[in-house]
Every structure is written in structure tokens, then in C-alpha cells.
Amino acid sequence: MLDATCLPTHRGDGPAKNCRASAESAMPRSLNSSQAEQYHTTSLIIAEKWLTEGLRGGMAMSVDSGQLHEDGSFDPYGAHRDDPYSFLAGIGETEPVFYTPLLDAWCVTRREDMVAVLRDDRNFSARDHNPRPAVALPEDVTRMLRTWRGADALAVGSLDPPEHTRIRELLNVGFTPARVRAFEPTIRAIATDLVERVAVAEEFDFITEFAVPYSLEVIGRRLGIPDEYLDRCRTWSEQRIELMMVQDDTNLDRLREYARGLMDFGAFARSLVQERLASPQDDLISELLHEGKAGRTLTADEASVMIPTLIFAGHMTCAEALGTILFQQFQAPGGWAKVADGTIAVPDLVEEGLRFDSPLAGMYRTAVNDVVVGDVHLAAGSRLLLLYGAVGRGSNSSACPAAFSPSSGSASHLAFGHGIHFCLGAGFARSELEIAIQALATRMPSLTLTPGPLPRHRPVFPLRALTELRVRQR
């Protein structure tokens, strides 16, 4: 549960008093709720450090003795699965950088420290930015994880400059404000059609019946994915999550099935690229292959590597954000009615949802040199988890960080990251979220939570995904 006492962020009693009242009114109804591909060539320096110094992907002794802190109590898969932020807010006040064995990483909770890391691509690498499995995977599964995109292939999120700079510049062509605006009528048509389909039901699971199919169809249409492949793209994405998030010993045959699914995902992306090379269409894949800036385009291999990431990130995070935003607003004073009658502006609701519980709670980085982060000395090879979500609950993020309050007019967050890896689809995502929420509010103004236990979050940290969200119309 959230602490009902908010830290005053302004002089005087007004904002702080209102903040406490808002938190107290919302708190009784609120219960806020990956490991990844195997480590892949971060750098020779990192590998040598791990081998010679016995570092475990980030457990580095501080240069200043006594500063190593191992806080075994942070458990985002268990005790803090639904609400990691109360714990992070508490420890962040005294130890904004702390080590947690479960994640085998140094957790960074303070905005200025994260921004400094994200701006410093000379000392910090993104090549190992995904979570890792907590257990050793079979050799054949590990091999497939390393090769499903292609030999030594890395998506844009795992690239460092100068490779990242060139790829990112070409990918940006597909997400300019003009491209987003031109695609909005298509998004709106998808939202309207799906809302009409779910509106006939008195009760339904918002996640499986709307959020996932909506976000999947939107990114599929933008990329040019044939409709008959959308369900398979969803399955492949889920299989990737399962392999990224393995926490304990599990069925080896199932792991091999998931890994073979990723091999199919990679093969599908390569075949789609070949089709668009031969026959361009009105979609993003064709744009990346034929309409690059100043005549420069992605190669076929480069486009093939990026497609699964665009599918995965393009639909998973949007679906997660939609679920969280509705869940929080249903519990807030006035509920969904305040959205339906326009009291709460939809853009404000979206920004507050991104601040309060980001769909991506964090991202990993690796120190390639000895560094200092938040006064903690870390050796090269140290693994850091930048907890973007904690920034949204920081004292400077809102008049009352612990309360969900879309009308507060303040929504400072790092939900889309920062620096050279800032989410290239941020504008697209905002538009997608706003259009969906507006369509839902217009067609189903009486939407509310179905009575019963509050939904839980999936154990897929740092993703923040509800297991389900049962809703009904009054």
C-alpha cells in the first residue's frame, strides 16, 4: 500500500494539504502492482573484468570500503510484485543507488543519476540492456537466443554509438510528427471498430479483449504485418518474455519450444523484408527500405533485425499502459465518469498514467569503465538497473507523487527514457493511447471495475503488466 503522507514539494500548506487529502482518498482502494537474452558481447573489457575479478554481472566492491550494500529485500517478482514503488521510495531517500542480489544489479532510483548515466555513452553500454534469465539455460536454447535475429545481430536498443546513431536516424523517418498525424485516422478506425465489438458485452477482460488486440493491430498495420500473422506475432512476443523472465528450473521442452518460436519470428521478419524489397507498400517496413533520409536506407539484414523489436515494443508497452491507466482511474475519486464527461482531459490522464506506473519500470546498463554513480564507486562490468518508474514517484514529479491525480497538472517522468535511447515511438504511443481512451470514454461512459479481488501484476519486472482487468458497464 502507498504511504498516505506525501512529501510537500511547494512552500506553504495548500499543495501539501491537498496532496495528503488526495492520497488518503485514493489509497484504500489502491494496490499498485523479464529476465532476457543471454549476455552477448558487451565488451572485452567487461568480459575480462568478470573473469579476472569474479564479478557477477554487477556486484562490484566499492573503491570506498563499506559502501557495498546488498539489499536482499527488494523482490519485484514476489513481495513487491504489485507495488515496487513504496519500497523504492523508502530506500531511495537514504540509498539512491543500492545493490540487490535477486536482480544481480545496482538499482538507481534518483533522476539526476539516471540522466547522467543515459547521457554518458562512453562509460555505460546499452548492449546488455535487457533482463537476464535467473537460471542457466540449455546450450541449444542459448544458441537460438543468440542467433534468432541473425548472427551477432543486435536491435537498436542494444546498440552503442556510432552504430546506434546511424540506425536510429534511419528509424526516426517512420515516427516523425507528420507520419504520426497521417496515421491517426487508421488508429482511430481500429479503436472505434474494437470498442464496438467489446461494447456488446456486459463484462469482459479489458487486457485480452481490447488492450492487447488493439495495440497489436495498430503496430501491425503501421509496419505492414499481414493480419493473419498478428496472433503469431503475439505468441512469439510472449515466448520471448518467457525466455527473458525465467526465474527457476522449468520444463526444458517448453523452453526449447519458445526458442524455436523465436527462430520462426526471425525467419518471418526476413521473409517480410524480402517481400517489401521486391514490392514496396504503404507501410513502415517499405519506408525503411526505400525512403531513407538523404537516400540512405536500412539494409535488408538491418530491417529484419529491427522488425521483431518494433512489434514487441510497439504493442506490449501500449497494452500495459492502457491497462494501468484504466485501472488507476477506476479507483481514483470520481472514477471513469470524470474522463467520460471531460472533467479530466485525456492527454492529462495519459501523462499521469505514464508517471504513476510506467509500463517499463526500468532498463539495464553496463559500466565499461570504473565509474561513480550517486557517490557509489562501481568497477567496470557493474550492471545497473535504471528504475525509470521510481522517477515518476519522486518528490519533484508531482504535487503528490504517491497519489494518482490526472488533474494536478504535473507529470514529470522518464517513461520513454532519456538521451540517445529515448523512445523513438513516444509521439506515436501517446497518440495511440489517447485515441483508445477517447473512443472508450465516448462509447462506454459507465465503464467500471467488476467487483472482486483487485488484479495482480505479472512477474515480468521491469515490465509492468496486469494479469487481467475485469470491467463491466453499469
Side-chain angles (χ1 to χ4, degrees):
M1 300 292 289
L2 294 175
D3 185 350
T5 302
C6 296
L7 294 172
T9 58
H10 304 274
R11 295 187 181 275
D13 294 332
K17 182 177 180 180
N18 292 337
C19 171
R20 287 192 292 271
S22 178
E24 289 165 358
S25 65
M27 190 190 72
R29 290 171 289 181
S30 179
L31 183 64
N32 295 314
S33 346
S34 172
Q35 301 282 2
E37 301 173 8
Q38 288 285 347
Y39 179 71
H40 186 79
T41 18
T42 299
S43 75
L44 289 176
I45 294 176
I46 294 174
E48 289 170 359
K49 285 285 184 179
W50 286 348
L51 290 172
T52 60
E53 298 179 20
L55 300 176
R56 294 179 57 249
M59 184 176 176
M61 286 300 294
S62 168
V63 173
D64 296 337
S65 62
Q67 283 193 332
L68 175 63
H69 179 85
E70 298 184 23
D71 197 293
S73 59
F74 183 44
D75 182 6
Y77 303 110
H80 308 115
R81 172 174 154 184
D82 293 309
D83 177 21
Y85 299 120
S86 294
F87 174 89
L88 295 173
I91 196 172
E93 290 296 318
T94 57
E95 291 187 85
V97 179
F98 66 93
Y99 181 80
T100 183
L102 180 65
L103 302 177
D104 195 13
W106 290 85
C107 295
V108 183
T109 64
R110 196 164 50 187
R111 182 188 186 99
E112 53 264 41
D113 295 330
M114 294 186 217
V115 169
V117 170
L118 291 168
R119 286 177 173 173
D120 187 358
D121 55 78
R122 292 177 299 176
N123 286 309
F124 299 94
S125 173
R127 295 179 75 85
D128 193 22
H129 80 282
N130 285 315
R132 300 172 180 165
V135 298
L137 300 178
E139 188 278 334
D140 56 336
V141 172
T142 299
R143 185 179 62 254
M144 286 187 278
L145 280 173
R146 289 173 174 168
T147 61
W148 69 279
R149 293 180 185 271
D152 300 319
L154 292 173
V156 65
S158 299
L159 294 176
D160 295 320
E163 296 95 336
H164 173 270
T165 306
R166 182 181 64 85
I167 298 295
R168 171 68 182 239
E169 185 178 78
L170 295 175
L171 287 173
N172 280 337
V173 170
F175 295 97
T176 63
R179 297 274 186 173
V180 173
R181 286 193 299 270
F183 193 68
E184 283 179 350
T186 300
I187 300 177
R188 195 166 289 109
I190 293 171
T192 300
D193 178 66
L194 191 51
V195 166
E196 289 299 327
R197 280 188 271 162
V198 298
V200 301
E202 183 178 335
E203 179 183 325
F204 60 96
D205 175 18
F206 178 78
I207 304 298
T208 61
E209 298 300 317
F210 184 89
V212 171
Y214 166 74
S215 55
L216 188 59
E217 186 172 355
V218 168
I219 193 62
R221 194 76 63 84
R222 181 69 186 98
L223 286 169
I225 308 297
D227 289 346
E228 61 268 25
Y229 280 94
L230 291 179
D231 280 344
R232 270 177 277 188
C233 287
R234 178 190 56 78
T235 297
W236 290 328
S237 296
E238 287 292 338
Q239 289 172 333
R240 185 183 179 211
I241 287 180
E242 291 295 330
L243 288 168
M244 289 167 67
M245 310 301 179
V246 177
Q247 289 297 300
D248 48 33
D249 292 332
T250 189
N251 187 303
L252 297 184
D253 289 337
R254 187 179 303 120
L255 294 181
R256 292 186 172 97
E257 176 190 349
Y258 294 162
R260 288 192 293 268
L262 288 189
M263 296 297 288
D264 291 341
F265 201 1
F268 165 73
R270 289 187 288 274
S271 68
L272 195 58
V273 165
Q274 292 304 315
E275 290 180 9
R276 295 299 183 271
L277 278 173
S279 180
Q281 298 183 18
D282 184 18
D283 57 40
L284 179 56
I285 297 175
S286 299
E287 293 166 14
L288 296 176
L289 292 168
H290 297 279
E291 301 178 23
K293 184 177 180 181
R296 293 178 293 127
T297 62
L298 293 180
T299 68
D301 287 344
E302 289 167 344
S304 299
V305 169
M306 301 306 158
I307 289 171
T309 290
L310 291 170
I311 295 172
F312 180 88
H315 89 273
M316 296 294 287
T317 51
C318 177
E320 292 159 9
L322 277 173
T324 296
I325 291 169
L326 264 70
F327 176 48
Q328 297 298 340
Q329 185 57 40
F330 286 148
Q331 299 177 96
W336 186 245
K338 283 195 171 184
V339 182
D341 67 14
T343 301
I344 293 176
V346 171
D348 290 343
L349 178 61
V350 168
E351 292 306 312
E352 179 68 354
L354 294 171
R355 177 198 73 82
F356 192 76
D357 198 353
S358 169
L360 182 62
M363 190 73 78
Y364 290 89
R365 290 292 184 269
T366 305
V368 296
N369 300 299
D370 293 348
V371 293
V372 177
V373 180
D375 297 326
V376 176
H377 292 253
L378 304 175
S382 295
R383 187 163 160 84
L384 294 80
L385 175 57
L386 310 180
L387 288 162
Y388 300 157
V391 172
R393 302 290 184 96
S395 59
N396 295 322
S397 67
S398 172
C400 180
F404 186 81
S405 182
S407 58
S408 65
S410 175
S412 176
H413 60 75
L414 287 180
F416 295 116
H418 184 85
I420 64 171
H421 284 279
F422 181 82
C423 177
L424 62 89
F428 187 87
R430 284 187 167 104
S431 180
E432 186 177 2
L433 292 169
E434 291 173 13
I435 288 171
I437 292 170
Q438 189 60 65
L440 288 161
T442 300
R443 182 63 177 82
M444 293 185 281
S446 63
L447 207 58
T448 187
L449 282 175
T450 298
L454 291 175
R456 299 209 62 195
H457 285 76
R458 296 174 60 189
V460 291
F461 192 84
L463 298 177
R464 297 284 293 156
L466 291 170
T467 55
E468 65 174 359
L469 185 64
R470 303 295 307 180
V471 298
R472 68 175 183 174
Q473 302 183 72
R474 291 193 186 95

